[in-house]
Amino acid sequence: MADIINLLPDNIANQIAAGEVIQRPASAVKELLENAVDAGATEIQLIVRDAGKELVQVIDNGKGMSETDARMCFERHATSKIKTINDLFEIRTMGFRGEALASIAAVAQVELKTRQPDSPIGTCIEIDNSVVRNQEPCQTAAGTSICMKNLFFNVPARRNFLKSNAAEMRHIVDEFIRVAMAYPQLQFTFTSNNQQVFYLEKGSLKQRIIAILGQHYNAKLVTVKESTDYVNIHGFVGKPETAKKTRGDQFFFVNNRFIKSPYLHHAIMSAFSEMLPGDSFPLYVLYIDLDPAHVDINVHPTKQEIKFDDEKILYAFVQSAVKHALAQFNVTPTLDFDLDPGIQQLDAISKPFTEQQQERSTSSSLYKTFTQAHQAHVIDKSSNSNLKHWKDLYEIGKTDLPIQNTGMSPIPDAPAFVNRPSTASMIDDRWQDTTIDQKVPVQVHQQYILSQIKSGFILIDQHAAHERILYERYLRALQDKPMPTQQSLFPQTLQLLPADAALIAEMLPDLQVLGYDMEPFGNHTFVVRGTPADIQSGNEQASIEGLLEQFKHFSAELKVNKREQLVRSMARNSAIPAGKSLGAREMQNIIDELFACNMPNVSPGGKYTYVSFKLADLVRMFERGN
């Protein structure tokens, strides 16, 4: 029988390997930025066109490469970082396996220009589908410029799996932020389609966080710093009020490498456990420095998942460091300035206040102006005063009011720990008025709606019910009946973070169908000329920010399509919240619209919208004591 096992050709093997490393344009951005950092660059530029599908270019001012190294760097597993097996466990650089450039060259057209600072001339190499098309000397700036053009041009099936430009751009922004956040001492610029997305100057870690996440975090960051023989932890966590319902502002860096670790995330959440509700996520940017021998980063192609030799001790250190930082913030806030030594030399501090000086001061007209008789808050105690003593008012408030004879048995005494309300407040006015229809709904604790039905009564969760109503209304709008738009008298301009701006751009066509009249205005800004008719005018910024937060929450938790995520997000964000007081007509509208829904019994998230109580069950409950 003939042999059937053959070695794969290099170009096919490279494409298979590229499938693990280069999944989308953002993957190439990550690898090229990390190479620039490893090259010792102090200024790094990222340029993309068509969300990276047409061009991804990274330019750095690092140490560059020789002619031989420029050719060798595209070979599989060609690396300057690993020489012996022991080197694999002492990794302190970002790249080390020599797969990135070989993988990029297998699925794109690549042009590399590089020059070492002490060399008068550089090298230009053009590679197409892993084949060197051209290599020649060239004039170029010191450092390296690498262009990746037409990603997946030779693998059309893979190119078809790429998402929309807005979605791919969002992934690129995420990868750029992770590298830029890890190295605040370097300058980064990011340009997309000839428009600047980021310009990040060299600076401190706090300056870099604020430049990326927004100026509003300036006064809301708490410093974390903990040093031990085993590990050093430093960075910032957000104060509890910065927590959001969605993930996204959480960054872990181990030896300056961004990682994802649910285990360490749990350590942070446990440190915040007494300060935040369970469904909120705090902001944190934490750097963990430890001996590379305790870490295995070679467990995943993208190197974002790593293993520690002792996770439990690291968990304890992270939790302790964050708890300590939060305790300092809560208990001992400090001032950032020192007392001027010159103040200590003033006469008011250095010289005694003699009796003669005291008498002169108390006899002055200025002193008498501020004595008790001349102060506005003093109440005249004379008998002619029309004010009664506050104690009299207090005693009147405690006086029991007469109880009406209703023909019912007296109510048993309440336990001592229960605050007994006055009789007038025991019964809602709408229940006392017998002229009103008995079916008028009543709001309970500004959260539930109680309504009488033929067999008993139902208790409706006003937020869950309204969420179901809006969800079905928005679904109909996307299918065949666009929502009406309420035009704003004065258009609002919204400045968003780059990642959020990319997300809104992706959702813009559907948002317009759902009643938002908005369009891009350049530089992560949108002009909002109108909102859905059921959103209060002047609340555009909060509405869209809440929508973004809910959308990111559903993106992380649910595997549903983008339209479904958007509809659920809008319904959740726009629904009447618990704690809002409703009038009788508003409550009746909610009841009528809820039971006109296709699925009135549950919210889009699966929460019950109402529970029913049968009259027979109530009778049994009250007869149990007989």
Side-chain angles (χ1 to χ4, degrees), residues 83-84 238 271 284 334 366 399 458 472 489 512 521 524:
K83 291 182 173 62
T84 68
Y284 58 79
T334 58
L366 182 63
T399 304
I458 57 173
E472 296 202 6
L489 187 59
Q512 290 168 343
F521 197 57
H524 325 309

Side-chain angles (χ1 to χ4, degrees), residues 383-398:
S383 57
N384 295 330
S385 174
N386 291 327
L387 293 175
K388 295 183 178 180
H389 198 273
W390 64 270
K391 222 170 196 180
D392 295 335
L393 295 173
Y394 176 73
E395 294 298 336
I396 290 173
K398 289 172 60 179

Side-chain angles (χ1 to χ4, degrees), residues 189-445:
T189 58
F190 178 10
T191 305
S192 172
N193 297 333
N194 298 321
Q195 290 188 338
Q196 191 172 87
V197 181
F198 281 105
Y199 180 79
L200 303 174
E201 287 280 10
K202 305 171 187 177
S204 66
L205 173 58
K206 186 173 183 180
Q207 289 171 331
R208 181 58 54 89
I209 292 172
I210 292 168
I212 291 175
L213 298 183
Q215 190 66 34
H216 58 284
Y217 284 117
N218 190 21
K220 298 180 180 179
L221 296 176
V222 180
T223 303
V224 178
K225 191 170 182 62
E226 204 76 35
S227 297
T228 70
D229 293 337
Y230 180 81
V231 63
N232 294 327
I233 300 171
H234 68 282
F236 293 90
V237 295
K239 294 180 181 179
E241 62 263 30
T242 66
K244 298 181 179 179
K245 300 291 184 184
T246 57
R247 303 174 190 266
D249 293 339
Q250 292 82 35
F251 299 89
F252 269 122
F253 297 92
V254 173
N255 295 344
N256 279 1
R257 183 189 302 278
F258 173 80
I259 68 160
K260 296 178 180 178
S261 175
Y263 189 68
L264 294 183
H265 173 76
H266 188 272
I268 302 281
M269 295 300 292
S270 64
F272 274 92
S273 60
E274 297 178 359
M275 303 180 186
L276 297 177
D279 60 347
S280 294
F281 298 94
L283 173 148
Y284 58 79
V285 184
L286 290 183
Y287 295 78
I288 301 171
D289 299 322
L290 74 167
D291 188 337
H294 297 305
V295 184
D296 183 4
I297 56 178
N298 196 31
V299 297
H300 192 273
T302 65
K303 302 185 285 289
Q304 287 186 2
E305 297 176 14
I306 67 177
K307 288 185 178 179
F308 303 97
D309 61 355
D310 192 342
E311 284 191 323
K312 291 183 179 178
I313 191 171
L314 201 59
Y315 182 101
F317 277 130
V318 170
Q319 183 187 45
S320 173
V322 175
K323 275 191 172 181
H324 184 236
L326 292 172
Q328 283 187 320
F329 154 65
N330 283 323
V331 178
T332 58
T334 58
L335 298 176
D336 292 334
F337 55 84
D338 298 322
L339 183 65
D340 184 354
I343 294 177
Q344 302 289 343
Q345 308 304 322
L346 296 178
D347 289 349
I349 294 176
S350 60
K351 293 183 179 180
F353 192 41
T354 64
E355 291 184 7
Q356 290 83 0
Q357 289 173 321
Q358 291 180 35
E359 290 176 3
R360 267 200 309 272
S361 297
T362 55
S363 61
S364 69
S365 60
L366 182 63
Y367 177 86
K368 291 179 178 179
T369 303
F370 288 96
T371 57
Q372 189 178 28
H374 293 87
Q375 291 181 17
H377 68 269
V378 175
I379 300 174
D380 185 7
K381 295 182 180 179
S382 65
S383 57
N384 295 330
S385 174
N386 291 327
L387 293 175
K388 295 183 178 180
H389 198 273
W390 64 270
K391 222 170 196 180
D392 295 335
L393 295 173
Y394 176 73
E395 294 298 336
I396 290 173
K398 289 172 60 179
T399 304
D400 289 336
L401 298 175
I403 299 178
Q404 297 175 359
N405 183 12
T406 59
M408 297 174 61
S409 302
I411 301 174
D413 289 337
F417 58 83
V418 175
N419 294 320
R420 181 187 296 174
S422 65
T423 307
S425 63
M426 278 185 177
I427 304 173
D428 191 283
D429 292 337
R430 281 171 293 195
W431 289 101
Q432 287 182 328
D433 191 346
T434 56
T435 63
I436 299 178
D437 188 343
Q438 290 182 339
K439 292 184 179 180
V440 170
V442 176
Q443 193 175 24
V444 180
H445 290 291

